[in-house]
């Protein structure tokens, strides 16, 4: 059986900023998603961890990041508002770098 068909439990969400704490008038949307590393913390005893993600929007204090997240038997995109200090830029190198022609 494929690993995609194995049942699994959804992963509990990290500690994030509630959507109602975000002032919609202060949101700036990204024209193009920006690749980032995001430090996610948990309140159930799991250690914090760094995940690859993309910035979709921001305010002066918060950043909306999109990360791949274990939803059930698959990983799907989820969006979370986090503190700006939890996010740092990452570089995605072009696929052709280092390859001979």
């Amino acid at each position: 059986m494929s690993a995609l068909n194995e049942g699994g439990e959804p992963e509990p969400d990290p500690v994030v900023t509630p959507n109602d704490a975000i002032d919609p008038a202060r949101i700036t949307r990204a024209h193009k998603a920006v690749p980032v590393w995001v430090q996610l913390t948990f309140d159930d005893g799991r250690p914090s961890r760094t995940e690859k993600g993309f910035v979709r929007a921001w305010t002066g204090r918060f950043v909306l990041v999109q990360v791949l997240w274990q939803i059930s038997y698959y990983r799907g995109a989820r969006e979370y508002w986090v503190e700006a200090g939890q996010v740092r830029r990452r570089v995605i190198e072009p696929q052709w770098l280092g390859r001979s022609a």
Side-chain angles (χ1 to χ4, degrees):
M1 178 187 306
S2 166
L4 289 176
N5 294 327
E6 294 175 4
E9 292 296 316
E11 186 173 10
D13 289 338
V15 176
V16 297
T17 303
N19 287 338
D20 59 355
I22 306 301
D23 180 2
R26 297 191 166 271
I27 295 175
T28 301
R29 301 268 175 204
H31 294 289
K32 183 178 176 186
V34 178
V36 295
W37 295 106
V38 58
Q39 183 72 31
L40 299 174
T41 58
F42 304 91
D43 59 3
D44 62 359
R46 289 180 290 158
S48 65
R49 69 176 192 239
T50 302
E51 292 285 334
K52 292 178 184 177
F54 291 92
V55 168
R56 304 295 312 264
W58 59 87
T59 68
R61 182 173 169 199
F62 302 105
V63 178
L64 180 64
V65 293
Q66 182 182 66
V67 295
L68 286 179
W69 203 250
Q70 190 68 35
I71 295 176
S72 180
Y73 61 90
Y74 65 96
R75 287 174 59 89
R78 297 286 307 270
E79 292 186 346
Y80 301 110
W81 283 102
V82 298
E83 296 274 344
Q86 293 175 252
V87 178
R88 68 182 195 278
R89 294 277 309 247
R90 72 183 164 102
V91 176
I92 298 176
E93 296 291 340
Q95 295 290 326
W96 51 267
L97 277 182
R99 293 185 185 173
S100 58

